[in-house]
Amino acid sequence: MMNQLKIAKKDARLYMSFMYVTFAALLVGGLMGLLQTLARSGKFTLPFGINYYTILTVHGVILGLVLTTFFIIGFQFALMGKTVGISDKQRKTGWWSFWLMLAGTVMAAITILVGQANVLYTFYAPLRAHPAFYIGLALVIVGSWVAVFTNFHQLYVWKKANKGQKSPLLAFMVVINMAMWFIASLGVAASVLIQFIPWSLGYAETINVLLSRTLFWYFGHPLVYFWLLPAYMAWYAIIPKIIGGKLFSDSLARMSFILLLMFSIPVGFHHQLTEPGIDPTWKFIQVVLTFMVVIPTLMTAFSIFATFETTGRRKGHKGLFGWFKHLPWKDVRFLAPFIGMVAFIPGGAGGIVNASHQMNSLIHNTIWVTGHFHLTVATTVILTYFGIAYWLVPHLTGRRLTPRLNKLGIIQAIIWTVGMTIMSTAMHIQGLLGGPRRSNFSTYAGGDQVQTWIGYQAAQAIGGTILFIGIVLMIYIFIQLAFFAPRGVEEFPIAEEEVDADPTPKVLENWYLWIGITIALILFAYTIPVFDILKHSPPGSVPFDWPIGRP
Amino acid sequence: MHLHKFEKIWLIFGMGSLALFLVIIGFAAFWKGTHPQSHIEIIDPENVEAHDSFKPENLGLREVAEGKYIVNIVASAFNYDFGTDADGKPVKKIRVPKGSTVLFQITTKDVVHGFQVAGTNVNMMVEPGHVSRLETEMKNVGEFTVVCNEYCGIGHHQMFATVEVYE
Ligand code: HEM
Ligand SMILES: [Cu+2]
Ligand SMILES: [Cu+2]
């Protein structure tokens, strides 16, 4: 990690292209989120006859799939370029991945906006969207695979040139995340290419609904780890530098990434606990595997707080918590991710509830779930991404994060925290009271029970409005950092190891071993149940167009 | 790999609580039998009437023994079919006495739906080709809204019914 490479202008252009899409997605998706909360308050009707589920599909696809994937791939390209370098050829394939993903996004977006794909971002069969929607999604996935193989190649080339040396930590982490993404996305790719596209085009008459859901969730859970791992990269290897400290432990960081790789994929059944066609024993086994991520999560928490403390003590702050006061609270590059870490405590606790075999039945598909992932993804992950953008964007554009922009950033992080606390708390409570997720405003039978939900929906509208203000502010800061801030040099903060650090065991870089174990776990968790699903499969389902408003 | 002393304590504590959670969940599931619904029973979604429980005359609430009920339901976008009442009108509300045991049996003719009796643990996915079943004891008095909690199309929020538990 000693040798930090300089980022050339032409490389920076590639990385920034991903950032432009990210922040455009934030604005569009955030506007949809605002409209959703307003519509659900019951006091506001969507204009121009726009359907609630159209905007909900836009929101889920744009924020859940587009914003995250573009940010992650752009950030990871920057990390690779900085630590192991990028060749002309790799930059070219990098652009291929960008254009493929963008083409797919535009295709899917148009299909959604003209009302031909009101299927939400989970696109459950047998609701049938227009084929262009599925083809667009397939292009996004294929584009991301081009990035996967480019990253693999970057590390491979570096390894060959630096025989016997351990890979830079951040490059190692990027490759783990991409390996996970690739293995996981094979599931949805198979489902989209083999099941959905032929069926939506009319070449296959029916679809196996349970199989398609199983393949979706095989991907859908690792998807959230794909969002989370870049945040972990920043927590492990970047935040220590920002607070003026060193990497806590290179081996520990690698070990926890390996564990996350192994335990993020064979667990999709915890999203399918209340489905009728899956054997309960296998559901339980996947619940157990789900819980294993507690271990790397605790390792991460330990390591981060240890860095905070060691750094503070080294600077001479005494007492049990003296070091805590002296963290750089006024530096948005630290504050935004720190709030994200704090939000992860209730977020993670909620996740344990969700994954628990029996507690799941109280909250399954209620708006509690939406509250949960607005804490984890839309707070923990997104605030960390913002924290990264505050130095990455000016670094790439050759500008500076001025004190004024830093201050606006702090205000932004606080607005986000307030808005999200209100919105997600209201969602959690309403969910415990039974309020369903993914629902337009409705008084149902008008009973007393429903009355209690509507008050919380009003609270969500207040939280959503505050959040939207935060989004507008973020967009303003982004535009400033990208185009208008004064020219200068902004640091690309990468923490170094302690001088006397223990050497990292070689086995941690044995890719065959870790990917082998991952595949073995996946085969263990999925082979028999999938075989069961195929063996006990009912007659397939014909497509349904009208329930989503297609003629 | 070197682990710091506090980290070892932290991890042992963490893994210990993890093991405890899993034992509790496993005990409840395998000894108390509170597995989530998983019957792996299949049905033709285009001909649900072929199944005895889902013949039109068998839909809705039926008392099968003292304090024991079965409710058969066919879901479709955007309706729960609980059969018809004496006047031939569709039933939208069922009533059971407090403390009764109710077995809900439901399937769908078209897309995926949810079936949740809000405020209780009755919560299941209803998928084409499968029969979903859950038995429960209605312990609390009140009116509970049944909501479809899996997105099933643009009328999703209009799909509901009511379960009343009386004293
Ligand atoms: C202005 C900020 C935001 C607001 C007001 C907002 C609001 C909402 C609301 C009300 C829902 C639930 C709608 C329903 O169940 O009917 C929702 C769903 C969702 N939100 Fe957000 N959200 C915001 C930001 C985000 C961000 C930053 C992300 C992700 C990075 C995100 C990802 C999602 C996803 C994936 C769903 C699920 C959609 C679905 O269930 O199909 N949201 N949001
Ligand atoms: Cu429904
Ligand atoms: Cu529904």
Side-chain angles (χ1 to χ4, degrees), chain A residues 6-181:
Chain A
K6 227 177 116 59
I7 292 184
K9 262 228 164 71
K10 48 185 192 246
D11 300 332
R13 269 194 33 223
L14 171 67
Y15 312 153
M16 277 304 290
S17 307
F18 284 97
M19 296 298 141
Y20 297 135
V21 179
T22 302
F23 285 88
L26 179 66
L27 185 61
V28 177
L31 180 63
M32 300 301 136
L34 173 67
L35 294 176
Q36 282 154 222
T37 53
L38 295 180
R40 287 169 53 90
S41 74
K43 301 258 187 291
F44 170 85
T45 344
L46 291 171
F48 315 118
I50 300 173
N51 190 281
Y52 178 81
Y53 300 102
T54 304
I55 62 170
L56 184 55
T57 307
V58 175
H59 183 80
V61 170
I62 285 268
L63 292 175
L65 301 176
V66 175
L67 173 143
T68 48
T69 311
F70 274 83
F71 180 87
I72 292 165
I73 292 185
F75 174 50
Q76 293 187 157
F77 264 127
L79 292 176
M80 294 302 278
K82 190 78 186 169
T83 55
V84 296
I86 183 165
S87 69
D88 286 342
K89 230 166 100 198
Q90 289 157 354
R91 186 180 334 100
K92 234 177 239 148
T93 50
W95 278 111
W96 265 104
S97 105
F98 175 78
W99 288 115
L100 275 172
M101 281 169 55
L102 191 63
T105 302
V106 170
M107 198 164 163
I110 293 175
T111 321
I112 300 168
L113 290 174
V114 297
Q116 290 292 316
N118 294 331
V119 288
L120 312 192
Y121 82 109
T122 40
F123 57 92
Y124 291 140
L127 294 172
R128 177 170 67 174
H130 190 280
F133 174 78
Y134 305 110
I135 296 172
L137 292 185
L139 281 178
V140 174
I141 294 171
V142 171
S144 76
W145 286 352
V146 175
V148 168
F149 286 102
T150 309
N151 290 157
F152 287 175
H153 194 244
Q154 282 173 283
L155 184 62
Y156 174 78
V157 170
W158 186 92
K159 275 277 191 194
K160 261 191 19 196
N162 298 272
K163 279 234 157 46
Q165 285 191 44
K166 80 171 168 199
S167 56
L169 177 60
L170 281 164
F172 174 90
M173 292 169 151
V174 169
V175 169
I176 290 259
N177 199 24
M178 285 311 222
M180 182 191 75
W181 171 251

Side-chain angles (χ1 to χ4, degrees), chain A residues 53 437-439, chain B residues 77-78 80 111-114 147-153 155-159:
Chain A
Y53 300 102
R437 71 186 283 203
R438 307 182 131 182
S439 278
Chain B
F78 305 105
Y80 292 117
V111 301
V112 180
H113 300 276
V147 287
C148 175
N149 65 11
E150 178 68 299
Y151 173 71
C152 53
H156 166 57
H157 54 288
Q158 280 141 11
M159 186 160 166

Side-chain angles (χ1 to χ4, degrees), chain B residues 105-163:
Chain B
Q105 301 192 106
I106 178 166
T107 192
T108 162
K109 292 202 280 198
D110 47 35
V111 301
V112 180
H113 300 276
F115 182 88
Q116 181 180 18
V117 183
T120 74
N121 275 352
V122 179
N123 192 346
M124 18 183 197
M125 301 295 306
V126 186
E127 284 171 28
H130 294 273
V131 178
S132 298
R133 275 206 189 95
L134 199 81
E135 193 175 51
T136 193
E137 197 192 323
M138 298 311 240
K139 289 184 189 143
N140 298 319
V141 175
E143 275 207 9
F144 301 93
T145 306
V146 175
V147 287
C148 175
N149 65 11
E150 178 68 299
Y151 173 71
C152 53
I154 54 179
H156 166 57
H157 54 288
Q158 280 141 11
M159 186 160 166
F160 58 83
T162 310
V163 173

